[in-house]
Amino acid sequence: MVFTSNYPPIDIPTVGVAELLFENRHKIPDTKPILLDAHSDRHFTFGQLKRKVLQFAAGLQDKCGFQKGDVLTVFAPNTIDYPVALLGAVAAGGVASPANPAYSVKELSHQVSLSEAKVIICVPSNVDIALETAAKCGIPLSHLFVFGDDATQGVQPYTKVLLSGRHLAAPVPIPNPSEQPSYMCFSSGTTGLSKGVISTHTNITSNLLQVEAMLGPHINSNQDRVLGVLPFFHIFGLTVVVHLAIYMGLPLTVMSKFDLPLFLNVIQTHQISLSCLVPPIMVLLAKHPLVDQYNISSLRTIVSGAAPLSAELSQDVQARLTGCKIIQGYGLTETSPVVTFGNLSCPVEGSCGMLVPNMSIKVINEEGQEVGVNQRGELWCKGPNIMAGYVKNPVATADCIDGEGYFHTGDVCVVDDKGNYAIVDRIKELIKYKGFQVPPAELESIILSHPSVADCAVIGVYDCSQATELPRAYVVLQPSTLPSPDAAQDIMDHVASKVVQYKKLRGGVHFIDVVPKSASGKILRRIIKDWVKEEEKVVKVGAKL
């Protein structure tokens, strides 16, 4: 059977992302502060943001020859300037491709080259990587900019170059929003380096309004204030935090990265009422003693996403933050991202919410048959927010979007008779560390490059204390190397030197005699996961004795 949303359909916008935001449907005053810096007194009003975006767009055109379809890579942590660059590229008729600011040269070069980015904007702390990447990818120094007011290693600040001339009268019109790309986020695949996801203007604008249909009735734009702590390069932060706040006129206080004391102080000082968070932060809210030293009673709504939130953890947080409602959402980069979203009128703990408007769902069992209520199966979804495809990868696109337009998520779900969804398993082998996707194959290839390693396999092991999966390696050593703590640390250091921080082997290294494989040579990860389950049983029994 086909499941549809309990919510009435919405009208799908026929304009571009920047056009929709600056139509100002919510009648936001130009003088209203819309972006506030958590680390200083800097802020942009709605009117200032719009002017800067239109100046940035014109600057790209005039200084960089930026044209329709050209790509700008934003290689930076959160800052109130970040939306200026994102929306500036989009307002110029181009595409913004946000990148993890902790990327190595290899990882950034992969994204820049695959997206064919023409311009990079970075920060002083990662300008070395940006410079090396630009040289490697053939991007001239004149197309490389830095956030801030001062030049760094010859890289000019965007404010002095791109905001020094004219500004567009309005965003460049998008005549075909359902086809023209707006963003190019990167989502890791199971085979190694990340895949570029092409999100059209309609993908983003429709998902923005799909979320508004469910969250909007519970928001008061004259009173609510939002905290921007999730990374803006991640699709969750990009759509549900940045775009929703600007669209609805909700003051957004921006943190460059998560820091618990600052996080709590910002909620207290700025009277934050709404925040999108991930389960590892929820663990801190439930258990860390520092929470009791701050008055965060203004926080009345938490939207958890990017990884599953257990009913138990949700209950623990609500027991401590009385008066705060917690809901959960589910989605992927490929779905722009929200597929399901919690109902604040009657939250269901452990559920990732109900289907957003204008979407349909199929639940497919292992035999390839459609199943119904309270039956497990892979979640297939269809709607205006489903990506156009993967960048330069038609095979991967065809593998996950079928002829009817259904995107095959690789996640196993159950839907109850009231339309509440729960994600109960994952078919794909991706490891999710604090909301970030970690492909085992990439880590395995790096581990195998270590001279003392003969073979290996990587899986995700769930850590209850952090509410996340941790990458763990199972390694077969060369005969010349004996298993030891030093050997394990050497392998972990080897991996850490070659990957972004969230891909480190935080689950450790376990030495084994042979990696279980099928006759065709495929690693049988399920067998290794069974080992982990048996180990956990032994630990539990030992703890009881």
Side-chain angles (χ1 to χ4, degrees), residues 417-436:
D417 55 1
K418 294 182 180 178
N420 296 299
Y421 287 76
I423 302 299
V424 296
D425 206 344
R426 186 159 66 250
I427 295 174
K428 295 180 180 180
E429 296 175 342
L430 287 171
I431 300 164
K432 268 202 169 181
Y433 172 71
K434 295 188 176 181
F436 295 106

Side-chain angles (χ1 to χ4, degrees), residues 256-273:
S256 62
K257 62 180 181 179
F258 179 76
D259 172 79
L260 183 59
L262 178 62
F263 171 78
L264 297 170
N265 185 62
V266 168
I267 294 175
Q268 175 180 278
T269 304
H270 290 255
Q271 292 293 286
I272 300 298
S273 58

